[in-house]
Amino acid sequence: MKPIVIIQARQSSNRLPNKVLLPINKLSIIEIIYKRVKSNNFKTIVAISNDRTDDLLCSLLKLKKIPHFRGSLHNVKSRYLNICEKYSNKKVVVRLTADNIFPDKNLIKEMIVFFLKNKKNYLYINQKTNKIPCGLSVEIFNLGEIRKFRDNNIKDLEHVTYSIKKKNNEFNIESNLRFKKKASIDNLGDYFLIKNFFEKYNLKTNIHWKLLIKKFNSFCKFYRQKSIKNNSLTSKIILGGAQIGNLYGINNKSRMDYDDIKKLSRFTKIAGIYGIDTARDYPNSEKLIGKYFSNNKSLNIFTKLSKKIDNLKEDGQIKNFLKNSINKSRQNLKPFKIQCLYVHNLSNDIDLNLKIFKNLFFLKNKYKINKIGLSITNLKEIDLIINSKLKKYIDIVQLPYSFVDQRLNKKNINVFKKYKITIIFRSIFLQGLIFLRNKKLWPTKIKRNYHIFFKKLNYTKNKLKIISTLELALLYMFSKNMNNKIIVGVNSFSQFTEIYSLLFRRKLTKKEINFVEKQFKTFNENEFFLNPSLWKKIY
C-alpha cells in the first residue's frame, strides 16, 4: 500500500497572508513544494480549508490539476482524518507544510525506508540536533497514531502530531554545515531570502535536497537583504493610498489597521514598489504615509490639492490656498518630498484653471516639487488641455483605464506623448465595483448593468482560465506592454500580497487582450457606469 503525502496549506497566515501563492521563479510556493515531492512511489494531496479565505488557492490547485481536499480551517487534524478515513491504522502518512519548500521526494523516500525498516510508528527530523536549516521538516506516522488521541487537545487539532511521543523517533541527517538563516517561510524577510536564493541560482524544482541545503548555506554567508530594483512589474506600481486611514471605494467596510500599514511599508521597500498616491482630502492618509513609510527613502510620493478650488476668485486667494495646501501636505508627508502634486479635476472656470497651474508652475521650485499633474475623471477634459495653454504647465495626467474602461484611445495617448505629458493609469478596479457580487450594494443608476457585466466577466475568466476577477484586472493592465505607471489600490496587507502573487503568474497574449477588450467594449459608451463620481453613493 502506497504511503500518502499530505501538504497542509492555507492563505490566512497572520504574519504573511497568501504566502503559499507568492511567486518564486514564476511558480507559486504551493506549486514548488508539490512539484518537489510528487512521486510515483506515494500519493500526494494538498489539504486546504473550506473557508472562503482559501477560495483563490483552491482555484489555482484546480487550474494546475493538483489533487486537493477542503476541510476545517482550524481543525487541521480533521483534514488528515477525513482524507484517510478509508485507510487502516497502518497506513503510512507523511506530513508536510506548504511554507517549507526544501524537502523533496528523495528525502521522503529515505525517511519512509528508515521508518519501515525500523518498524517505527512515528518519525521526524529534529531541527535542534541536526545541522540542517530550520524548514527541512518532514514527519511520518502510522495513521493510527493520530486516531488514538481524542480531539480535546487544541494543539493536536492545529499541529496534528503534538501529542505523539518524539523521543527516540528522530531521523538523523549527517551534516557539518551551520545555518544562520532558516529555510521556512514564516514572514516577509523569510520569503525574500528564499526567493532571492532560488532566483539567483535559477534553481529547478527537482534539485536534490542535499545539494539544495549546501547551496543555501553558501548563499546565506553573504546574503544582505536589499530592495528589488528595476523590476519590470513592481517598478510600475504606485500604491493607492486612499484606503490608508480612510474609507474609500464602494466595497470597503473598514480602514486599514496600523499593523497592516507597517507590513505594507516594509513590503513596498523590499519589493521595489515605485510610489504611493494620496491626497489632501483623504483623512489622515498623508500623515500615516509620512509616519509609517518614512524608512523607504526611494518611495515617490504623489498627492493632490484639495478639491475646494471652485470658490477661488482673487489672485491673492488662489496663492494663499495653494501655499496653505502645499505646506499642509509637506508637513504631513515629512520627511518625504512631493514627486508630483495634482490638481483634482479641472474647475468649470477656464481662467481659474490657468491661474492655478501658472501659480503651481512657479511654486514647484520653491517647495521642491518635482512635477505638476492633473487627475482626470471626465475624459472630455483631454481636449480642453490640448487646445489650451494648460498643456505647458502639466507634466503628468492621471487617467482611468481598465479592462472595463477602454475609452482612452491611441490618438489621446499620442497627443500626450507629443507634448511630453506622462500618463499614469488609475481606477483599474473601478473603485471595487468589479468585485461586488451583491447586487443590492450596486449604485441605483447602474444596477441594470449588473447581470450583463457578470455574465461577460464569468465567460471571460473561464475562457482564458483566469482564477479570479483580481487576476483579470491585473493581467490586462500589466500585459499591454505599456511603460506607464499604474495605481493599484489595496484595502489590506492581505490583499496586497494577493495582488503581488498574481502579478507574476503569466501575461496575456495580444490575442487574449483583444478578446477581453471585445467582451467589455459595450461599456465604453456608458459614462454612468465608468464614472464613480456620477454614482452619488445611493447603495
Side-chain angles (χ1 to χ4, degrees):
M1 189 186 293
K2 284 185 180 181
I4 183 168
V5 176
I6 299 177
I7 307 167
Q8 63 185 67
R10 63 177 177 135
Q11 286 181 246
S12 55
S13 165
N14 290 325
R15 284 175 290 183
L16 187 56
N18 303 304
K19 62 183 174 183
V20 294
L21 298 175
L22 291 174
I24 296 175
N25 267 343
K26 296 184 179 180
L27 283 176
S28 65
I29 286 170
I30 191 64
E31 290 175 89
I32 293 172
I33 184 61
Y34 178 76
K35 285 175 178 286
R36 283 185 58 70
V37 304
K38 184 185 176 186
S39 169
N40 291 328
N41 294 317
F42 33 78
K43 181 181 178 181
T44 305
I45 187 168
V46 179
I48 67 174
S49 84
N50 51 24
D51 191 82
R52 64 181 181 82
T53 55
D54 280 334
D55 285 350
L56 189 64
L57 174 57
C58 182
S59 297
L60 177 64
L61 295 173
K62 283 181 181 177
L63 183 67
K64 298 297 179 179
K65 297 180 179 178
I66 295 174
H68 58 282
F69 172 85
R70 302 194 77 170
S72 171
L73 175 62
H74 300 294
N75 188 348
V76 182
K77 181 181 173 182
S78 70
R79 292 186 224 166
Y80 284 77
L81 294 173
N82 288 329
I83 289 170
C84 301
E85 64 179 346
K86 294 181 181 178
Y87 300 133
S88 72
N89 286 340
K90 290 295 182 181
K91 181 72 172 179
V92 177
V93 180
V94 180
R95 177 179 178 251
L96 300 174
T97 57
D99 51 7
N100 296 325
I101 63 173
F102 275 48
D104 69 353
K105 61 186 177 184
N106 302 299
L107 177 59
I108 293 171
K109 188 177 178 180
E110 286 179 50
M111 291 182 67
I112 289 174
V113 169
F114 182 89
F115 180 86
L116 295 173
K117 184 179 178 180
N118 291 276
K119 298 179 180 179
K120 294 283 187 180
N121 290 320
Y122 176 77
L123 185 67
Y124 81 112
I125 299 172
N126 191 325
Q127 306 282 325
K128 294 179 180 178
T129 57
N130 284 287
K131 293 180 179 179
I132 57 169
C134 178
L136 190 70
S137 178
V138 179
E139 289 180 279
I140 304 177
F141 51 87
N142 287 324
L143 182 57
E145 290 300 298
I146 62 169
R147 279 178 173 165
K148 69 185 181 183
F149 293 107
R150 293 181 179 179
D151 290 345
N152 56 3
N153 187 328
I154 294 174
K155 291 188 177 179
D156 266 324
L157 301 186
E158 182 180 355
H159 302 291
V160 184
T161 59
Y162 181 80
S163 294
I164 297 177
K165 183 182 177 183
K166 304 294 190 293
K167 192 175 181 182
N168 299 322
N169 286 317
E170 298 177 14
F171 181 75
N172 293 316
I173 295 174
E174 292 184 9
S175 170
N176 295 318
L177 303 173
R178 292 184 179 277
F179 292 88
K180 293 182 179 179
K181 303 282 186 183
K182 62 179 182 176
S184 62
I185 302 171
D186 297 313
N187 56 46
L188 200 58
D190 299 337
Y191 165 64
F192 279 102
L193 167 68
I194 304 302
K195 175 181 169 67
N196 289 334
F197 167 57
F198 268 77
E199 293 180 355
K200 180 179 180 180
Y201 297 111
N202 194 25
L203 299 175
K204 305 301 180 186
T205 55
N206 63 353
I207 184 173
H208 196 284
W209 71 271
K210 288 182 180 178
L211 180 57
L212 186 64
I213 66 170
K214 284 181 181 177
K215 283 183 172 290
F216 186 63
N217 180 260
S218 300
F219 175 79
C220 289
K221 289 177 182 177
F222 305 101
Y223 177 72
R224 297 289 182 275
Q225 191 178 82
K226 295 179 180 178
S227 299
I228 299 171
K229 294 182 179 179
N230 300 320
N231 184 286
S232 59
L233 290 178
T234 55
S235 63
K236 290 174 70 172
I237 294 176
I238 297 173
L239 196 67
Q243 290 90 340
I244 297 175
N246 182 38
L247 283 175
Y248 181 85
I250 192 172
N251 204 19
N252 242 6
K253 300 292 187 298
S254 60
R255 294 175 178 83
M256 196 183 299
D257 64 43
Y258 295 145
D259 188 51
D260 266 16
I261 295 171
K262 289 175 186 175
K263 290 176 182 176
L264 196 57
S265 170
R266 190 172 177 220
F267 204 134
T268 56
K269 182 178 181 180
I270 301 172
I273 301 300
Y274 181 77
I276 188 164
D277 181 79
T278 184
R280 281 280 302 113
D281 290 337
Y282 300 158
N284 296 320
S285 178
E286 287 183 334
K287 285 184 179 180
L288 292 172
I289 290 166
K291 181 177 180 180
Y292 289 106
F293 287 80
S294 58
N295 64 331
N296 187 357
K297 300 293 188 285
S298 62
L299 196 67
N300 294 284
I301 304 296
F302 299 76
T303 192
K304 302 179 187 73
L305 292 166
S306 174
K307 294 179 183 179
K308 301 167 185 176
I309 62 172
D310 282 320
N311 295 327
L312 302 175
K313 300 295 180 186
E314 304 296 328
D315 289 351
Q317 257 188 319
I318 294 169
K319 285 181 182 179
N320 287 334
F321 169 80
L322 295 177
K323 286 179 181 179
N324 288 337
S325 186
I326 292 169
N327 280 325
K328 283 178 182 176
S329 288
R330 290 177 73 221
Q331 186 177 354
N332 290 339
L333 292 164
K334 214 170 181 180
F336 288 111
K337 292 179 181 177
I338 298 172
Q339 169 66 14
C340 179
L341 180 66
Y342 291 105
V343 173
H344 203 306
N345 293 324
L346 293 174
S347 166
N348 295 323
D349 186 334
I350 297 173
D351 290 333
L352 176 59
N353 292 325
L354 198 55
K355 286 179 181 179
I356 287 171
F357 277 97
K358 277 184 178 179
N359 274 280
L360 287 174
F361 181 79
F362 291 109
L363 288 172
K364 75 175 184 178
N365 287 332
K366 178 180 178 181
Y367 291 108
K368 297 181 180 178
I369 297 167
N370 197 23
K371 305 283 185 183
I372 298 298
L374 173 65
S375 178
I376 294 175
T377 301
N378 186 349
L379 296 191
K380 292 176 182 178
E381 291 180 354
I382 293 175
D383 291 332
L384 180 60
I385 296 166
I386 300 306
N387 296 323
S388 72
K389 293 180 181 178
L390 284 173
K391 59 182 176 288
K392 291 183 180 181
Y393 305 106
I394 296 173
D395 302 303
I396 297 174
V397 289
Q398 236 187 58
L399 295 168
Y401 195 62
S402 68
F403 73 89
V404 189
D405 185 355
Q406 306 149 27
R407 292 172 297 168
L408 189 67
N409 55 45
K410 285 185 178 179
K411 181 182 176 182
N412 296 140
I413 293 170
N414 290 334
V415 167
F416 282 125
K417 280 183 180 178
K418 179 182 176 181
Y419 293 105
K420 297 180 180 180
I421 297 173
T422 302
I423 298 173
I424 291 176
F425 295 126
R426 62 168 172 76
S427 299
I428 68 170
F429 304 142
L430 205 58
Q431 283 199 14
L433 183 77
I434 61 173
F435 308 123
L436 193 57
R437 288 279 179 173
N438 188 341
K439 186 179 179 180
K440 292 178 181 178
L441 297 178
W442 269 50
T444 304
K445 287 189 175 182
I446 60 170
K447 265 194 173 77
R448 61 189 178 87
N449 302 110
Y450 176 88
H451 291 293
I452 186 66
F453 172 73
F454 281 110
K455 184 179 178 180
K456 287 178 176 291
L457 182 65
N458 293 334
Y459 177 71
T460 303
K461 288 192 293 183
N462 291 334
K463 192 80 173 173
L464 300 181
K465 294 182 179 179
I466 287 174
I467 61 177
S468 69
T469 304
L470 178 62
E471 184 182 26
L472 174 61
L474 293 168
L475 284 181
Y476 177 79
M477 292 302 297
F478 286 89
S479 298
K480 286 187 65 85
N481 294 322
M482 296 183 289
N483 294 320
N484 308 74
K485 307 297 183 193
I486 300 168
I487 297 173
V488 179
V490 295
N491 54 35
S492 67
F493 179 64
S494 177
Q495 190 189 46
F496 180 74
T497 56
E498 187 176 323
I499 287 168
Y500 185 83
S501 70
L502 292 171
L503 278 176
F504 297 88
R505 283 204 345 103
R506 70 182 179 100
K507 278 192 171 184
L508 295 179
T509 64
K510 190 173 181 180
K511 185 178 178 181
E512 288 173 326
I513 290 170
N514 290 338
F515 173 77
V516 173
E517 291 177 344
K518 185 178 178 181
Q519 293 304 308
F520 294 94
K521 192 175 181 180
T522 53
F523 293 103
N524 292 342
E525 309 282 328
N526 193 335
E527 177 73 13
F528 275 108
F529 187 81
L530 298 175
N531 189 346
S533 66
L534 301 177
W535 296 346
K536 294 193 176 177
K537 295 192 176 182
I538 306 172
Y539 308 144

